[in-house]
Amino acid sequence: MAKSVKLNTGAEMPIVGLGTWKSPPGKVTEAVKAAIAAGYRHIDGAFVYQNETEVGEGINAMVKDGVVKREELFVVSKLWCTFHEKALVKGACQKTLSDLRLDFLDLFLMHLPMGFQAGSELFPLDSEGLAITDGTNFLDTWEAMEELVDAGLVKAIGISNFNKDQIETLLNKPGLKYKPVTNQIECHPYLTQEKLISYCQSKGISVTAYSPLGSPDRPWAKPDDPSVLDDPNIKAIAQKYKKTSAQVLIRFQVQRNVIVIPKSITPQRIQENFQVFDFELTKEEMKIILGFNRSWRACTMHWGVKHKDYPFNTEF
Ligand SMILES: NC(=O)c1ccc[n+]([C@@H]2O[C@H](COP(=O)([O-])OP(=O)(O)OC[C@H]3O[C@@H](n4cnc5c(N)ncnc54)[C@H](OP(=O)(O)O)[C@@H]3O)[C@@H](O)[C@H]2O)c1
């Protein structure tokens, strides 16, 4: 049986979802359809992936064909950094909804705690290649996101790429109306995130693991970078269960009650990545996998390093 995680709103979020970053517009509609046909009920998208129209086509086709009802799906999108000014948040959400051709999102995340200069550039960079701030405070952006819940545009709101101090700042915000339901962060055996996961879960905030396979198709990958999918120790565990490395990497998150969103545009892999509910890693294997941590990030968001709200220069 596919599992879900109960959010602090009471809603259930399917524990395995389909990632869509880097999924080309010409491929993602079929990927979404293949995922829903395989049993996925959770799709992870974002405005900045520049494919939401095509993601929506896949969702709407499956609803129209009667394969799934809209209420059975859990659709996630994210507020991009150039829309952090309070006055821009609602329009950004409405743009995503109109691209997806949906009336509401199940979850809208603040993609990063960093606000960037508003405008048509998704990555407004200075002469050093560093992101130009818009001077906003993510607490104000959060207030505008809370209004989306009240307006019925989104069922829940959450955060992504927030570190512990930033979450604490948000939770201590005077007049906080809605707590984030999830923090979507990079997580795999080379970045196990034990401290941040345990902090989030202790505060009633679920965790969603992005790049669970180590994001091998990230555009800046170098040949010498570590590869979790090729890790011989992961392969050995996979062999024991007659499973693939990808399935072990996904199962590893499921067993920690961490929601996980592997991306694929390959129908056979989309199916494979969902076949993770028929085996169980032992406690010992879970511990061994946690021991592979090397605090390695696939997504360092290097253009943000000098931003006042860059999240990755604290311990966790
Ligand atoms: N919040 C954020 O800042 C943030 C950042 C990064 C990612 N995300 C989200 O998380 C999702 C997943 O992360 P990701 O896209 O970085 O990387 P990922 O899911 O770790 O890896 C995707 C890559 O793995 C390949 N793959 C998928 N299944 C496989 C299998 N069973 N065997 C072998 N290879 C397989 C895919 O190839 P094919 O597609 O060619 O099959 C693709 O190249 C994203 O798509 C996005 O939705 C969010």
Side-chain angles (χ1 to χ4, degrees):
M1 261 295 282
K3 268 182 62 180
S4 59
V5 168
K6 202 181 197 68
L7 303 178
N8 61 34
T9 53
E12 298 281 344
M13 181 162 173
I15 199 159
V16 177
L18 179 75
T20 61
W21 173 40
K22 310 170 261 65
S23 299
K27 298 268 183 182
V28 78
T29 303
E30 286 309 312
V32 167
K33 286 162 75 174
I36 294 173
Y40 290 66
R41 295 293 177 263
H42 164 188
I43 310 291
D44 181 82
F47 174 76
V48 77
Y49 302 161
Q50 299 181 73
N51 58 8
E52 289 199 303
T53 302
E54 295 79 8
V55 168
E57 278 171 25
I59 294 172
N60 286 298
M62 294 306 262
V63 171
K64 188 164 168 256
D65 290 351
V67 179
V68 74
K69 295 196 184 77
R70 168 65 186 95
E71 315 83 82
E72 294 165 348
L73 292 172
F74 196 99
V75 181
V76 183
S77 184
K78 312 185 190 86
L79 177 76
W80 183 240
C81 306
T82 51
F83 302 100
H84 274 216
E85 286 173 31
K86 276 186 110 168
L88 300 179
V89 172
K90 190 171 183 187
C93 182
Q94 285 169 326
K95 166 74 175 146
T96 278
L97 285 171
S98 94
D99 284 354
L100 288 168
R101 284 197 294 122
L102 295 177
D103 301 330
F104 68 92
L105 293 172
D106 294 275
L107 175 59
F108 196 47
L109 304 176
M110 198 185 305
H111 206 143
L112 284 150
M114 302 182 277
F116 296 170
Q117 184 184 73
S120 54
E121 289 280 329
L122 292 174
F123 290 86
L125 302 178
D126 64 15
S127 55
E128 288 177 70
L130 297 172
I132 303 169
T133 181
D134 59 2
T136 55
N137 182 322
F138 58 74
L139 295 180
D140 295 323
T141 309
W142 187 256
E143 273 181 14
M145 290 178 67
E146 289 178 327
E147 289 172 16
L148 303 176
V149 179
D150 293 333
L153 272 63
V154 308
K155 301 270 185 218
I157 49 178
I159 51 184
S160 179
N161 297 300
F162 273 52
N163 66 34
K164 183 209 174 217
D165 293 345
Q166 292 169 327
I167 299 168
E168 208 158 60
T169 302
L170 179 56
L171 293 179
N172 291 332
K173 175 189 172 305
L176 181 74
K177 191 163 185 186
Y178 301 116
K179 264 175 42 168
V181 298
T182 203
N183 186 22
Q184 185 181 118
I185 54 175
E186 180 174 342
C187 190
H188 44 69
Y190 294 163
L191 185 70
T192 50
Q193 301 272 26
E194 283 182 86
K195 287 184 177 165
L196 189 51
I197 291 174
S198 125
Y199 173 75
C200 288
Q201 292 181 340
S202 78
K203 298 290 177 187
I205 301 169
S206 70
V207 172
T208 303
Y210 76 65
S211 303
L213 312 178
S215 197
D217 57 343
R218 67 196 180 283
W220 48 86
K222 303 217 175 65
D224 291 342
D225 285 347
S227 162
V228 260
L229 270 175
D230 296 324
D231 188 309
N233 298 304
I234 299 286
K235 279 189 185 165
I237 296 173
Q239 265 164 16
K240 173 180 158 191
Y241 294 101
K242 298 194 167 47
K243 288 284 178 181
T244 64
S245 292
Q247 288 169 323
V248 169
L249 297 173
I250 294 164
R251 180 73 204 180
F252 166 63
Q253 304 296 354
V254 168
Q255 278 186 225
R256 317 164 82 191
N257 223 24
V258 167
I259 301 147
V260 54
I261 47 172
K263 171 264 177 188
S264 178
I265 49 164
T266 314
Q268 181 265 325
R269 288 176 171 173
I270 291 171
Q271 288 176 19
E272 174 185 320
N273 295 347
F274 203 69
Q275 301 310 312
V276 294
F277 301 103
D278 57 357
F279 75 113
E280 189 171 355
L281 302 167
T282 64
K283 271 198 179 128
E284 187 58 24
E285 285 160 346
M286 290 294 291
K287 243 170 99 182
I288 290 171
I289 298 175
L290 287 170
F292 300 154
N293 184 44
R294 47 172 105 169
S295 303
W296 176 79
R297 277 181 199 280
C299 300
T300 57
M301 320 281 180
H302 55 92
W303 24 259
V305 285
K306 291 202 178 151
H307 192 289
K308 70 178 170 69
D309 295 317
Y310 182 67
F312 305 143
N313 43 22
T314 55
E315 189 210 339
F316 70 100

